[in-house]
Amino acid sequence: MLKSGTLITVKREADKKKNAVYHGPRFDVYAEDEHGTIYDLEMQNQNHHDIEKRMAIYQGKLENQALYAGQSFSERRQTVILFLCDHDVYNLNRVHYQLIPQLVGHPEILIDNGETNVIVNLKGDASKQAALNQEMLTYFNDGTVTGKFSAALDRAVREVKNDVKKGENYMTIEEYAARQSAYAREEERAEKEAQTIKGLVTLNLDKDQIIKFLIDNFNLDKQEALAAYERVMATA
């Protein structure tokens, strides 16, 4: 998470992201600190079960600015994606989750590729956070400005909201409808999987049997089936 005391320059990112739908609290904020670290803050008010893939796309967007021509790869600037969610993505009652790459077979070996991906649960207990993170959670929960960081965020948010008339910042109606339709299909599929898992549990099938059933009947690979199973069992 962000370190307390770090000064951050914040600005709207409309010129870097051409397809955006600024609806309700959904917006982008681009930031840099005095160490050269680049931040992209994304607001997420619905769980579409695709946040990890979206983070990868946003990281790709920041990579173009992380290294200048002629620099060595060791000079790559750190890039941070912060997804601010008003729901608990993994239902583990954590205030934030950091996604990190690991060496397969050796989870103790962490891979430093210059990327940091953090999911913030805005409904988490802010009292467990450092001062700067408490300020951020407070701002995104109720809009209250309590310091320099949240004041800079608030200015950026207002700029974005005042820029809604610029059509290039929006998806076309067709693009938006297509995305919403895709999300609806994903939600329907996830609900069907959830009901199936719950039904199999009541039939006393064990975890391995349920995973196999999902693989055989829902065209999922083992990792996807396991994720679906754990997501349902976490809320059971």
Side-chain angles (χ1 to χ4, degrees):
M1 294 295 291
L2 302 178
K3 294 181 179 180
S4 181
T6 300
L7 298 177
I8 299 181
T9 300
V10 184
K11 59 184 178 180
R12 60 186 175 88
E13 199 187 0
D15 59 330
K16 297 181 179 65
K17 183 175 181 181
K18 298 301 181 183
N19 290 326
V21 178
Y22 296 121
H23 176 69
R26 193 174 299 148
F27 54 86
D28 295 342
V29 175
Y30 176 91
E32 297 183 17
D33 65 21
E34 78 260 27
H35 304 296
T37 301
I38 306 171
Y39 300 84
D40 181 24
L41 279 66
E42 300 287 335
M43 197 70 185
Q44 184 76 20
N45 57 11
Q46 294 181 19
N47 189 359
H48 294 302
H49 308 289
D50 61 0
I51 196 167
E52 298 88 355
K53 295 180 176 64
R54 291 185 65 190
M55 281 184 157
I57 295 297
Y58 290 132
Q59 281 288 359
K61 180 176 61 177
L62 295 186
E63 285 176 0
N64 292 331
Q65 306 166 66
L67 192 67
Y68 294 110
Q71 287 186 308
S72 68
F73 290 110
S74 62
E75 296 177 278
R76 182 196 190 281
R77 299 166 69 185
Q78 295 289 318
T79 54
V80 179
I81 301 294
L82 281 169
F83 260 80
L84 311 175
C85 301
D86 64 355
H87 53 277
D88 191 343
V89 173
Y90 298 113
N91 296 309
L92 296 176
N93 200 29
R94 298 271 303 275
V95 175
H96 63 82
Y97 303 96
Q98 183 172 350
L99 281 58
I100 56 176
Q102 297 175 328
L103 188 64
V104 175
H106 297 275
E108 74 281 3
I109 299 179
L110 306 182
I111 309 302
D112 182 12
N113 57 4
E115 299 178 1
T116 299
N117 295 297
V118 176
I119 300 171
V120 178
N121 174 18
L122 295 176
K123 301 305 181 185
D125 185 358
S127 65
K128 297 179 180 179
Q129 293 293 295
L132 185 61
N133 298 328
Q134 289 185 34
E135 181 181 346
M136 181 178 66
L137 290 174
T138 298
Y139 175 77
F140 283 108
N141 270 310
D142 58 25
T144 302
V145 173
T146 57
K148 291 182 179 180
F149 178 72
S150 53
L153 283 177
D154 189 59
R155 286 194 298 272
V157 172
R158 292 178 185 278
E159 287 183 12
V160 170
K161 289 183 176 180
N162 290 334
D163 201 33
V164 296
K165 293 183 179 180
K166 291 189 176 182
E168 66 270 18
N169 291 332
Y170 285 88
M171 293 179 183
T172 65
I173 293 175
E174 292 80 5
E175 289 172 331
Y176 181 70
R179 172 175 288 189
Q180 292 305 106
S181 177
Y183 282 150
R185 289 194 298 272
E186 284 295 313
E187 291 291 340
E188 182 179 352
R189 180 188 61 79
E191 179 61 24
K192 186 175 180 181
E193 290 173 1
Q195 292 303 320
T196 299
I197 292 169
K198 292 176 183 178
L200 295 175
V201 169
T202 62
L203 294 175
N204 295 320
L205 271 68
D206 63 26
K207 178 179 178 180
D208 291 338
Q209 290 173 315
I210 294 175
I211 297 299
K212 185 178 186 305
F213 185 92
L214 293 175
I215 293 173
D216 294 340
N217 294 275
F218 284 87
N219 195 32
L220 302 177
D221 60 31
K222 186 173 182 179
Q223 184 176 0
E224 291 170 334
L226 179 60
Y229 175 85
E230 291 181 343
R231 186 164 55 243
V232 171
M233 298 309 293
T235 58

